[in-house]
Amino acid sequence: MPMTRPPSTAAKVDRRRALVQAAFDQIAQRGLEGLRLRAVAVAAGLDHSSLHHYFPTKEDLIASVVEYTTAQLWPTLRSGRSPADRIRRHLRLMAHTMRERPELFVVLCELNLRAARDPAIRAIIDRGDQDWRAFITAQLSDGAWHRAYDAAAGAELIIASIKGATFNPDTAATALRQLERLLTDQE
Amino acid sequence: MPMTRPPSTAAKVDRRRALVQAAFDQIAQRGLEGLRLRAVAVAAGLDHSSLHHYFPTKEDLIASVVEYTTAQLWPTLRSGRSPADRIRRHLRLMAHTMRERPELFVVLCELNLRAARDPAIRAIIDRGDQDWRAFITAQLSDGAWHRAYDAAAGAELIIASIKGATFNPDTAATALRQLERLLTDQE
Amino acid sequence: MPMTRPPSTAAKVDRRRALVQAAFDQIAQRGLEGLRLRAVAVAAGLDHSSLHHYFPTKEDLIASVVEYTTAQLWPTLRSGRSPADRIRRHLRLMAHTMRERPELFVVLCELNLRAARDPAIRAIIDRGDQDWRAFITAQLSDGAWHRAYDAAAGAELIIASIKGATFNPDTAATALRQLERLLTDQE
Amino acid sequence: MPMTRPPSTAAKVDRRRALVQAAFDQIAQRGLEGLRLRAVAVAAGLDHSSLHHYFPTKEDLIASVVEYTTAQLWPTLRSGRSPADRIRRHLRLMAHTMRERPELFVVLCELNLRAARDPAIRAIIDRGDQDWRAFITAQLSDGAWHRAYDAAAGAELIIASIKGATFNPDTAATALRQLERLLTDQE
DNA sequence: CATGAATGAGATTTCATTCAT
DNA sequence: TATGAATGAAATCTCATTCAT
């Protein structure tokens, strides 16, 4: 029983989006390992064969999920009046997001892990990480950080803490709050 | 006529160990997702069916790998003369191990991720984490840490940093060194 | 807003021709087994769905390829002043064509093979074979051949030799030249 | 309902043979294009998954079919008292086999055709062809053939005729008989 | 105990074809 | 008329697991 939907350009974009979203959800629930194209297609409301119309291969779909996921995160940057304020806001926003949208970090974690073996994913993630790193380093260099310290090293610590906090969602906010305190007490 | 070697208890233990080690190696190389029982059996030098003799199900084998992996890490604790020294040593030892035996952390990462969906693995890992957490908290409470801070929160930060540092092996040492500096400068 | 060109009859015929030619090329390169309608359509410069407008089903397209292919071959007959000369020319022309346009024979071979299982194709090919057989038999009966021999049998031999020579393009000319010598030495 | 059969070594060989035979039959009936592993497995009386136990990939199975098929043919050589007699017997045996076991030639034809695009098959077939060519050339050089002619060229003609005769099973015997007459009349 | 043959469930991918627009 | 989205059927291959031997 063929369901006919308006195949306008907008619809095509919607379909792609729906598929990516569905794939994201699946990864969040069952992990990259448990990602099944059939399930994704069903969740997006179309035949598993049609999925290949939009994403010829599974890797293509995953790549889109990587882009989608990282894109969700970076808009959280950039707000705040001073460098120190921006770092503070960033840490809190991350902790907040971990509570509100834990899937985001779960999926990111999955992707980070696979990136270790998949250059294609590695590339996309690295791109995002570069921006992230640059942002934090800039704030630290710009006064959010005791001059005696190395801004780059500080950025690595912040990034590591955030990534690692993901593994224990319950205590993530606590850990990041402690980091914030440690950093601001240096000023 | 197949030669049946007398399966002494020692030999049996050796076989199990070999299988777990082989599984660990496979996970390190190909990820949990790429873990194939046949490959494990071959690497351990026996038939894939014999593997089921020692580990009836795949999950059983993985559980043993979890135990093996965590067990590799905790002996690294406990050395050092003062609490602050023990924390310092711990951080450096972790950074050192990340360089020397990165597989340990790769595998741990894989297992941590799966733990999110697998209660059995979750339990084993949590057990290890408890000890870890307890050790760090103890040192922090015991003077390794500025009194104004919360030892438990500090422990969470340290754990998160270490776990997260795994994702970027290149900058792991830098990040942890920075954390160490931040902590010790509080004294 | 898609530009709809007036599909004049001439253009329509051209489109069909282009499709058949493209299909022929595909078969030559990838075999009947590797014939993909989408690839054909792309090669002919139109949409895969438009192809179905000209050839409702894959079989229809193939049938047209059969006709096209056989049609390419028979014009090579008929020249020469005497029966013996015509046979000689025919053999040489065939050998020559095998070198110059090997695809023709490759495709013919593919079609011959499928003809064994597909009556529709069988019919078209047989029609061509009949003319071919008749032509050769006529020449042989007409003096190109030692009277003691059976013209029909000779025709079968010639046809078999030519078809079989296709399989080894390198030695095709050699084989056919030998046949020619054998035949003419009988005169 | 698991069917348990004696998994002796002999049985294993039998199973492989059965699978190759079944594959051969399938190719004879439906062509290489129509070869379906499931159908082969069913015809051989086992699960389609078990087939992969014996032949990891489809190509492996096909390779075995190529060997099996060519092996069926060459034993037909070598009998006869004189070179001329051996050639005569060879041609008649071929014609006879074409009538009695036409599948042999159908399959060979399919394989020859695919050999044009598949080097692996090409290699196996070429090996057989070399022996065949050598045998015929030897007989021709050895007196089965008028000295004025080139033995190698004669061999090519014979091979081409036999291969080509396959396409028209009805007239194959006629064509080959005519070739025989042509050759022997040269003596 | 150890082995290898066997299975069944399932995953990705391909492709001819159809249906609205 | 031409397009591209959608479908369903099917095909190859993988893998954990089980069962005789």
Side-chain angles (χ1 to χ4, degrees):
Chain A
M1 67 210 83
M3 287 221 14
T4 47
R5 245 155 306 200
S8 69
T9 305
K12 171 164 183 178
V13 169
D14 280 0
R15 285 279 221 275
R16 281 186 67 98
R17 234 200 294 261
L19 284 167
V20 171
Q21 179 66 51
F24 175 91
D25 293 344
Q26 286 286 321
I27 296 174
Q29 282 170 35
R30 315 207 192 294
L32 247 176
E33 186 182 355
L35 180 64
R36 298 290 171 261
L37 294 190
R38 264 185 158 87
V40 170
V42 167
L46 34 74
D47 189 87
H48 74 94
S49 252
S50 304
L51 185 153
H52 284 97
H53 187 61
Y54 296 96
F55 300 96
T57 166
K58 193 180 187 178
E59 295 308 309
D60 294 332
L61 176 60
I62 293 177
S64 283
V65 173
V66 181
E67 275 170 359
Y68 166 84
T69 308
T70 56
Q72 296 289 313
L73 230 45
W74 310 140
T76 67
L77 300 179
R78 330 243 164 247
S79 86
R81 281 156 319 192
S82 70
D85 193 37
R86 278 195 281 274
I87 287 291
R88 209 175 302 124
R89 286 171 100 102
H90 180 49
L91 285 172
R92 294 195 187 182
L93 194 50
M94 281 294 181
H96 179 256
T97 311
M98 280 184 202
R99 243 194 335 272
E100 296 305 306
R101 303 183 57 195
E103 341 81 52
L104 221 50
F105 292 86
V106 170
V107 173
L108 210 50
C109 226
E110 294 274 354
L111 298 174
N112 261 294
L113 211 41
R114 165 157 313 194
R117 275 177 301 275
D118 186 329
I121 296 185
R122 163 95 292 156
I124 305 179
I125 289 196
D126 273 353
R127 210 187 317 148
D129 272 16
Q130 290 308 338
D131 291 351
W132 191 16
R133 207 180 307 267
F135 167 76
I136 298 178
T137 309
Q139 309 315 313
L140 293 184
S141 312
D142 214 22
W145 181 250
H146 194 281
R147 355 200 106 212
Y149 293 125
D150 178 8
E156 295 305 336
L157 173 59
I158 293 177
I159 289 178
S161 300
I162 292 175
K163 284 188 174 178
T166 307
F167 283 125
N168 294 65
D170 300 338
T171 59
T174 308
L176 294 185
R177 195 58 167 258
Q178 182 60 53
L179 176 61
E180 179 194 332
R181 216 168 282 149
L182 233 51
L183 293 173
T184 53
D185 284 5
Q186 308 290 326
E187 296 178 51
Chain B
M1 214 166 302
M3 265 285 293
T4 43
R5 245 161 306 164
S8 71
T9 307
K12 182 165 179 178
V13 169
D14 279 0
R15 290 277 228 280
R16 280 184 67 98
R17 231 199 296 260
L19 283 167
V20 171
Q21 179 66 51
F24 175 91
D25 294 344
Q26 286 286 321
I27 296 174
Q29 283 170 34
R30 316 204 193 294
L32 248 175
E33 188 180 357
L35 181 64
R36 300 288 172 262
L37 293 193
R38 272 182 150 88
V40 170
V42 167
L46 35 73
D47 189 84
H48 72 94
S49 216
S50 305
L51 185 152
H52 280 96
H53 192 265
Y54 295 99
F55 299 97
T57 165
K58 195 180 187 178
E59 296 309 309
D60 295 331
L61 175 60
I62 293 177
S64 284
V65 173
V66 182
E67 275 171 358
Y68 166 83
T69 309
T70 56
Q72 296 288 314
L73 229 46
W74 310 140
T76 67
L77 300 180
R78 331 245 165 244
S79 86
R81 277 155 323 191
S82 71
D85 192 38
R86 278 194 281 274
I87 287 292
R88 209 177 300 124
R89 286 173 99 101
H90 180 47
L91 284 172
R92 294 196 185 180
L93 194 50
M94 281 294 182
H96 177 76
T97 310
M98 279 183 201
R99 247 196 329 273
E100 296 305 307
R101 302 185 57 195
E103 340 84 52
L104 222 49
F105 291 86
V106 170
V107 174
L108 212 48
C109 225
E110 295 273 355
L111 298 173
N112 260 295
L113 213 40
R114 165 155 311 194
R117 275 177 303 277
D118 186 330
I121 296 186
R122 165 92 291 159
I124 304 179
I125 289 196
D126 273 353
R127 210 187 318 148
D129 272 16
Q130 288 311 335
D131 292 352
W132 192 14
R133 205 180 309 266
F135 166 76
I136 298 179
T137 309
Q139 309 314 314
L140 293 183
S141 311
D142 213 22
W145 181 250
H146 195 282
R147 356 202 105 209
Y149 293 126
D150 177 8
E156 294 306 334
L157 173 59
I158 292 177
I159 290 178
S161 300
I162 292 175
K163 285 188 175 178
T166 306
F167 283 125
N168 294 65
D170 299 339
T171 58
T174 306
L176 294 185
R177 195 60 168 256
Q178 182 60 53
L179 177 61
E180 180 195 332
R181 216 168 282 150
L182 232 54
L183 293 173
T184 53
D185 284 5
Q186 308 291 326
E187 296 177 50
Chain C
M1 215 166 301
M3 265 287 293
T4 43
R5 244 161 306 163
S8 71
T9 307
K12 183 165 178 177
V13 169
D14 280 358
R15 290 277 227 281
R16 281 185 66 97
R17 233 200 293 262
L19 284 167
V20 171
Q21 179 66 51
F24 176 91
D25 293 344
Q26 286 286 321
I27 297 174
Q29 282 170 34
R30 317 204 192 293
L32 249 174
E33 187 180 357
L35 180 64
R36 300 286 172 266
L37 292 193
R38 272 181 150 89
V40 170
V42 167
L46 36 73
D47 188 84
H48 73 93
S49 215
S50 306
L51 185 151
H52 279 97
H53 191 265
Y54 295 99
F55 299 96
T57 165
K58 194 178 187 178
E59 296 309 310
D60 294 330
L61 176 59
I62 293 176
S64 284
V65 173
V66 182
E67 275 170 358
Y68 166 84
T69 308
T70 55
Q72 297 289 314
L73 229 45
W74 310 139
T76 66
L77 299 181
R78 331 246 164 242
S79 86
R81 280 155 320 191
S82 71
D85 192 36
R86 277 196 280 274
I87 287 291
R88 210 176 301 123
R89 286 172 99 100
H90 180 48
L91 285 172
R92 294 195 186 182
L93 193 50
M94 281 294 182
H96 179 257
T97 310
M98 279 184 201
R99 247 197 328 275
E100 297 303 307
R101 302 183 57 196
E103 340 82 55
L104 222 50
F105 292 87
V106 170
V107 174
L108 212 49
C109 223
E110 295 273 355
L111 297 173
N112 261 296
L113 212 41
R114 167 157 309 197
R117 275 178 302 274
D118 185 331
I121 296 185
R122 165 92 292 157
I124 304 178
I125 289 195
D126 274 353
R127 209 189 316 148
D129 272 16
Q130 289 310 336
D131 290 353
W132 190 15
R133 206 180 310 267
F135 166 76
I136 298 178
T137 310
Q139 309 313 314
L140 292 183
S141 311
D142 215 20
W145 182 250
H146 193 281
R147 352 203 109 210
Y149 293 126
D150 178 5
E156 293 306 334
L157 173 59
I158 292 177
I159 288 178
S161 301
I162 292 175
K163 285 188 175 179
T166 305
F167 283 124
N168 295 65
D170 300 339
T171 58
T174 307
L176 295 185
R177 195 58 167 256
Q178 182 59 53
L179 177 60
E180 179 195 333
R181 214 167 284 147
L182 232 53
L183 293 172
T184 53
D185 283 8
Q186 309 291 325
E187 295 178 52
Chain D
M1 70 209 79
M3 287 222 11
T4 46
R5 244 155 307 199
S8 68
T9 305
K12 171 164 183 178
V13 170
D14 280 0
R15 285 280 220 276
R16 281 185 67 97
R17 235 200 294 261
L19 284 167
V20 171
Q21 179 66 50
F24 175 91
D25 294 344
Q26 286 287 321
I27 296 174
Q29 283 170 34
R30 317 209 192 292
L32 246 175
E33 186 182 356
L35 180 64
R36 298 290 172 260
L37 294 191
R38 263 186 158 84
V40 170
V42 167
L46 36 73
D47 189 85
H48 75 94
S49 255
S50 304
L51 186 153
H52 283 99
H53 188 61
Y54 296 96
F55 300 97
T57 166
K58 193 179 187 178
E59 295 309 308
D60 294 331
L61 175 60
I62 293 177
S64 283
V65 173
V66 181
E67 275 170 0
Y68 166 84
T69 309
T70 56
Q72 296 289 313
L73 230 44
W74 310 139
T76 68
L77 300 181
R78 330 243 164 247
S79 87
R81 279 155 320 190
S82 70
D85 193 36
R86 278 194 280 273
I87 287 289
R88 209 176 302 123
R89 286 171 100 101
H90 180 49
L91 285 172
R92 295 196 186 180
L93 195 49
M94 281 294 182
H96 179 255
T97 311
M98 279 183 204
R99 243 194 336 273
E100 296 305 306
R101 303 183 57 195
E103 341 82 52
L104 221 49
F105 291 87
V106 170
V107 173
L108 212 49
C109 226
E110 294 274 355
L111 298 173
N112 262 294
L113 210 40
R114 163 150 322 188
R117 274 179 302 274
D118 185 332
I121 295 186
R122 165 93 292 157
I124 304 179
I125 289 196
D126 273 354
R127 210 187 317 150
D129 271 16
Q130 291 308 338
D131 291 352
W132 191 15
R133 206 180 307 268
F135 167 76
I136 299 179
T137 309
Q139 309 313 313
L140 293 183
S141 312
D142 214 22
W145 181 253
H146 194 281
R147 355 201 107 211
Y149 293 126
D150 178 6
E156 295 304 335
L157 173 59
I158 293 176
I159 290 177
S161 301
I162 293 176
K163 285 188 175 180
T166 307
F167 283 125
N168 294 65
D170 299 341
T171 59
T174 307
L176 294 185
R177 195 57 167 258
Q178 182 59 54
L179 176 61
E180 179 194 332
R181 214 168 283 148
L182 232 54
L183 293 172
T184 52
D185 284 7
Q186 308 291 325
E187 296 177 49

